[in-house]
Amino acid sequence: MKIRVIGGGLAGPEAALTAARMGCKVDLYEMRAMVDGKPRLTPAHQTTEFGELVCSNSLKSESPNTAPWLLKQEMRRAGSALLKIADETAVPAGHALAVDRVEFSRRIAEAIANEPAIHVIREEVTRLESDDYELTIVATGPLTSGAFSEEIQRITGAGHLAFYDSISPIVDAESIDMERVYFAARWDKGTADYINCPMDRAEYDRFLDALLAAEAAESKEWENLDYFEGCLPIEVLATRGRDTLRFGPMKPVGLRDPRTGMRPWAVVQLRKENVRADSYNLVGFQNHLKFGEQARVLRLIPGLENAKFLRYGQIHRNTYICAPVLLDEFLRLKREPRIVFAGQISGVEGYTESIATGMLAGIYAGALASGHEPAAVPRGTALGSLVHYITHADAKDFQPANITFDLLEPLEEEVRKKVRDKKERHRMVCERAMDKFGAWWAEQRVVVAF
């Protein structure tokens, strides 16, 4: 079976590698390319590499019996190619799985180059219909080109939705004043891999006033600044009240300063960008301010007075389809089953979720290549719950979602009444989900002779 995968971000390479190992021939298309010696990029990408992580470098929690951990455990059981690479390129990040961006992308490219069933084509796709492929997996992500967005709109018969994400700044590690900061992990989860910049009340008030007065970057005429609630810029959060940031990205809970024994009024956390620890990103500090304003305001943070910024925060478009109306439980277009959507354009939010749906699309393609109708991943699993949400949510108010326990099926009422401890209930939900995923995956392995 020959399939086409469109998009070289996270979901696309995962779908291509999964489908290839299950017997499919794959043409992998990516529009970012070198043209006449110059890179052709999107408004947010900085390279032409596969799997470039545009925002943070974190694939979220690795704490046992959390929803992000559960999703990753299911993916590991199914042999997710990109998650394996993430594990192998991990950098210390407390209880989170964070990766070295450059090495992560390099290893993805290496895996694709070493897979003879995958043929890479560096050009923009503008037409979805094709007689050359039995199946097309659309994984063009949040930065889908204007021309291809119009094609998706044409083929689906419905408008697509858009919101806007912002990118966190990155600072040079050598420019951080280490005398003013300390290492710790919030709530002592994992190792103390985060640099913490503590603020007293006066420092916080001065920072907040400067942030509220800072000038925003000019918006493009196509922007309507409809932000995703789960990824709001810090300047937007700041307008919601003087303590909003202290209860959000600057929450000091569990970050007692070992030098004073006191809990700061607020804290800014920095996370490693790579194994060398020569750069750090400001966790949760995505913003849409002018670069000069960012430098002025962020240098009010203790320890960053002389910070050298390797990248400033930016805004970028995030495009996604109305999956509850358009997709079936196999991520296929209801009106054109030969077209499958995966990754953020399908309505999931987050790196891990994007990889997971790419993996699922590849598994379904493998089943079809073996002459079998695929079996839907069970609702009671993390991956199944994620797919159930994007295909069954209220279409009127549909927004992309990360994996959370709210999406998973609750325990039976009798069990909930008996087990009062929340952590124990989560453990039981995870155990049940892993059993269901394991049984489903065992059946898929038989179907595709994997």
Side-chain angles (χ1 to χ4, degrees), residues 1-23:
M1 180 180 186
K2 188 175 183 180
I3 72 170
R4 173 175 55 165
V5 176
I6 309 173
L10 295 172
E14 178 69 28
L17 288 164
T18 302
R21 70 179 182 175
M22 294 185 172

Side-chain angles (χ1 to χ4, degrees), residues 176 194-195 197 268-272 280-283 304:
I176 301 170
Y194 290 77
I195 290 177
C197 305
V268 177
Q269 285 200 307
L270 312 181
R271 180 173 54 222
K272 291 179 184 177
Y280 282 76
N281 64 69
L282 279 66
V283 179
L304 301 186

Side-chain angles (χ1 to χ4, degrees), residues 207-255:
F207 169 80
L208 187 65
D209 289 339
L211 178 62
L212 289 169
E215 189 175 356
E218 292 183 8
S219 299
K220 307 292 191 302
E221 60 182 19
W222 42 261
E223 294 176 358
N224 61 13
L225 302 182
D226 184 16
Y227 292 113
F228 173 46
E229 190 67 23
C231 193
L232 291 172
I234 55 171
E235 68 272 18
V236 174
L237 284 172
T239 64
R240 296 185 173 184
R242 294 194 68 83
D243 286 325
T244 304
L245 288 173
R246 288 205 316 117
F247 289 92
M250 299 177 70
K251 183 187 301 181
V253 176
L255 292 174

Side-chain angles (χ1 to χ4, degrees), residues 19-37:
R21 70 179 182 175
M22 294 185 172
C24 297
K25 296 291 184 181
V26 182
D27 281 350
L28 174 58
Y29 286 80
E30 169 53 50
M31 65 173 286
R32 289 175 295 128
M34 296 299 295
V35 179
D36 297 328

Side-chain angles (χ1 to χ4, degrees), residues 4 54 94 181 204 224 237 247 327 333 395 407 431 433:
R4 173 175 55 165
V54 172
V181 302
Y204 175 80
N224 61 13
L237 284 172
F247 289 92
L327 301 185
L333 277 181
L407 302 186
E431 186 177 274

